[in-house]
């Protein structure tokens, strides 16, 4: 195991417009990690179809997500950038892992409960099985590190459990096939930074999400300066002025969220931001946040627009990435088949 390279894998669903939560919670980390790791960054379109998607929009959203990765600074030559459905081994391994994971484990997944809501009987089996496919996404590359936002912590823990159970269940065969004591590394979640959970602008108790019906709940990376300004101006706040220290943010989720966003975008701590804006009213603070957001996001938005118009380029990046990913995935899938006892 010690000879396995350290490898980063992470994915973003093409289920809609990428937003500030995806950016601060995940993509900014992707960009940092590319300096020191071999990274695979995936547009997880098979995850997106666990809820209904319009086929034309799905294709466009997949390209847009890839364009966003690149516009944010991910280098598709140094890293592998691809969409999940082009590498069939993800789904192939997911089936094997379905036979390793336990129903009791999946029944504990809070995201399924939230997304399926009251109409659980009518949710797709894919939505229920989503975390097993996510485990396959990571393990098919024997990835060692997975940068994600806070909301994915439980799914990552499940991926770790599945890796461990596979290693235990097939220990003898893993050794017989020359892989030593274990085949899958137990992947490390990388959940860090000041904005691992960006909340909705309309409700500080809800995560900022692509699928929220209100577009005012999120800042999309495709929003222009006017839209950003409108959304921040309308963001829910409370009647008090900003506190001068972090303790004063307790019990004030909307204030905490806006200060957190400011801090993350500025690369400062919340304490530092409150040192400057403590005592200010929200309208002054919101104006500063609008200026900062526009300054940080406008270059990304314009590059995204440029890339999205160049379908040939984006499709080429995804095709090239998928070819490179498939080489790694096929070798690991063949090993899994040998370990499990499937003829090939
Ligand atoms: N609000 C958030 N704050 C911080 N990180 C977030 N992430 C998502 N929302 C936030 C992180 O972004 C990465 C990609 O997420 P995803 O697209 O795979 O799916 P998700 O977590 O289900 O995000 P959404 O936007 O809420 O999508 P929908 O509405 O389609 O379900 C992940 O690392 C995630 O943690």
């Amino acid at each position: 195991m010690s000879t396995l390279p350290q490898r980063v894998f992470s994915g973003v669903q093409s289920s809609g417009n990428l937003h500030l939560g995806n950016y601060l919670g995940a993509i900014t980390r992707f960009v940092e990690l590319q300096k020191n790791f071999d990274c695979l960054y995936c547009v997880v379109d098979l995850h997106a179809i666990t809820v209904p998607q319009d086929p034309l929009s799905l294709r466009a959203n997949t390209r847009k997500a890839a364009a966003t990765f690149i516009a944010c600074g991910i280098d598709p030559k140094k890293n592998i950038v691809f969409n999940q459905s082009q590498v069939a081994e993800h789904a192939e391994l997911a089936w094997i892992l379905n036979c390793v994971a336990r129903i009791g484990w999946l029944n504990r997944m809070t995201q399924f409960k939230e997304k399926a809501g009251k109409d659980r009987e009518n949710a797709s089996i894919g939505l229920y099985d989503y975390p097993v496919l996510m485990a396959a996404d990571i393990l098919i590359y024997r990835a060692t590190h997975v940068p994600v936002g806070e909301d994915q912590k439980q799914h990552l823990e499940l991926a770790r459990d599945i890796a461990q159970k596979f290693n235990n269940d097939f220990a003898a065969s893993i050794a017989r096939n020359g892989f030593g004591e274990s085949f899958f590394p137990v992947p490390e979640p990388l959940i860090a930074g000041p904005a691992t959970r960006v909340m909705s602008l309309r409700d500080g108790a809800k995560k900022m999400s692509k699928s929220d019906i209100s577009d005012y709940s999120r800042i999309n990376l495709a929003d222009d300066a006017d839209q950003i300004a409108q959304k921040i101006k309308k963001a829910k706040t409370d009647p008090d002025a900003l506190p001068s220290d972090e303790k004063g943010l307790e019990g004030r989720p909307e204030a905490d969220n806006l200060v957190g966003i400011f801090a993350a975008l500025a690369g400062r701590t919340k304490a530092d931001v409150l040192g400057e804006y403590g005592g200010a009213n929200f309208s002054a603070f919101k104006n500063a946040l609008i200026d900062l957001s526009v300054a940080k996001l406008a270059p990304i938005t314009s590059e995204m627009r440029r890339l999205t118009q160049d379908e040939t380029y984006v499709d080429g990046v995804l095709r090239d990435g998928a070819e490179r990913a498939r080489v790694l995935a096929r070798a690991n899938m063949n090993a899994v088949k040998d370990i499990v006892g499937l003829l090939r």
Side-chain angles (χ1 to χ4, degrees), residues 13 47 49-51 106 111-117 123-131 155:
Q13 292 187 70
H47 284 276
I49 60 166
T50 57
V51 296
L106 283 180
Q111 193 180 86
F112 173 73
K113 291 178 193 162
E114 282 161 19
K115 290 200 172 177
S124 73
I125 294 170
L127 188 65
Y128 181 71
D129 201 33
Y130 178 117
H155 290 166

Side-chain angles (χ1 to χ4, degrees), residues 10-27 30 44 47-48 51 53 111 115 130 134 146-153 155 195-200 206-212 218:
S10 198
V12 175
Q13 292 187 70
S14 45
S15 47
N17 282 315
L18 269 62
H19 53 72
L20 193 63
N22 299 134
Y23 177 65
L24 294 175
I27 301 174
F30 298 179
V44 286
H47 284 276
V51 296
Q53 301 289 339
Q111 193 180 86
K115 290 200 172 177
Y130 178 117
M134 178 167 155
V146 186
V148 281
E150 180 72 38
D151 62 310
Q152 292 297 331
K153 188 166 182 238
H155 290 166
T196 54
R197 191 171 177 83
V198 177
M199 308 310 279
S200 157
K206 264 172 65 183
K207 172 179 100 95
M208 186 177 284
S209 169
K210 293 186 209 84
S211 52
D212 194 313
R218 63 185 159 260

Side-chain angles (χ1 to χ4, degrees), residues 38-331:
D38 288 338
C39 305
L40 294 111
Y41 294 129
C42 186
V43 182
V44 286
D45 46 7
L46 294 176
H47 284 276
I49 60 166
T50 57
V51 296
Q53 301 289 339
D54 166 56
L56 293 178
S57 311
L58 178 62
R59 222 169 272 150
N61 285 335
T62 299
R63 292 189 175 110
K64 237 192 266 173
T68 308
F69 283 176
I70 301 165
C72 289
I74 292 170
D75 177 351
K77 290 215 168 68
K78 182 172 187 303
N79 307 286
I80 297 181
V81 174
F82 68 110
N83 63 306
Q84 185 186 26
S85 60
Q86 288 207 57
V87 183
E89 285 79 1
H90 289 238
E92 192 179 355
L93 180 61
W95 182 257
I96 309 259
L97 300 184
N98 275 332
C99 301
V100 173
R102 306 288 91 183
I103 288 176
W105 298 358
L106 283 180
N107 283 344
R108 287 197 284 276
M109 296 296 113
T110 54
Q111 193 180 86
F112 173 73
K113 291 178 193 162
E114 282 161 19
K115 290 200 172 177
K118 290 203 179 78
D119 199 12
R120 198 176 297 179
E121 295 289 310
N122 213 16
S124 73
I125 294 170
L127 188 65
Y128 181 71
D129 201 33
Y130 178 117
V132 179
L133 178 59
M134 178 167 155
D137 297 335
I138 300 162
L139 299 178
I140 193 66
Y141 302 105
R142 300 166 91 190
T144 53
H145 295 81
V146 186
V148 281
E150 180 72 38
D151 62 310
Q152 292 297 331
K153 188 166 182 238
Q154 195 185 32
H155 290 166
L156 239 300
E157 278 159 11
L158 186 100
R160 292 167 60 84
D161 289 344
I162 292 175
Q164 271 160 340
K165 187 165 190 303
F166 181 94
N167 289 337
N168 289 337
D169 289 356
F170 295 100
S173 186
I174 288 169
R176 212 169 34 244
N177 280 282
F179 293 105
E181 287 183 1
S182 56
F183 180 70
F184 289 127
V186 178
E188 283 296 324
L190 299 176
I191 304 173
T196 54
R197 191 171 177 83
V198 177
M199 308 310 279
S200 157
L201 298 181
R202 307 299 289 163
D203 178 354
K206 264 172 65 183
K207 172 179 100 95
M208 186 177 284
S209 169
K210 293 186 209 84
S211 52
D212 194 313
I213 44 169
S214 167
D215 199 50
Y216 276 89
S217 67
R218 63 185 159 260
I219 294 175
N220 301 309
L221 296 178
D223 286 344
D224 61 26
D226 285 346
Q227 287 168 311
I228 292 174
Q230 283 281 325
K231 288 178 178 181
I232 293 177
K233 276 190 187 142
K234 280 195 191 293
K236 188 175 169 201
T237 48
D238 55 45
D240 298 334
L242 281 167
S244 45
D245 60 24
E246 273 190 85
K247 210 163 162 25
L249 291 172
E250 282 172 17
R252 300 178 65 185
E254 285 83 16
D256 189 21
N257 190 38
L258 293 183
V259 172
I261 291 173
F262 192 110
L265 283 173
R268 293 164 63 180
T269 62
K270 284 189 199 175
D272 188 31
V273 173
L274 291 174
E276 184 179 347
Y277 291 97
N281 60 29
F282 272 106
S283 67
F285 180 67
K286 281 180 169 182
N287 283 336
L289 182 56
I290 290 167
D291 290 345
L292 176 63
S293 305
V294 170
K296 290 282 171 186
L297 300 181
I300 295 174
T301 310
S302 71
E303 182 62 359
M304 259 170 68
R305 291 222 176 97
R306 191 186 69 77
L307 290 168
T308 309
Q309 277 160 16
D310 193 348
E311 236 171 57
T312 312
Y313 169 73
V314 174
D315 287 1
V317 165
L318 292 174
R319 207 174 312 111
D320 170 66
E323 273 165 25
R324 288 153 65 208
R326 220 175 283 130
V327 173
L328 302 171
R330 196 62 241 164

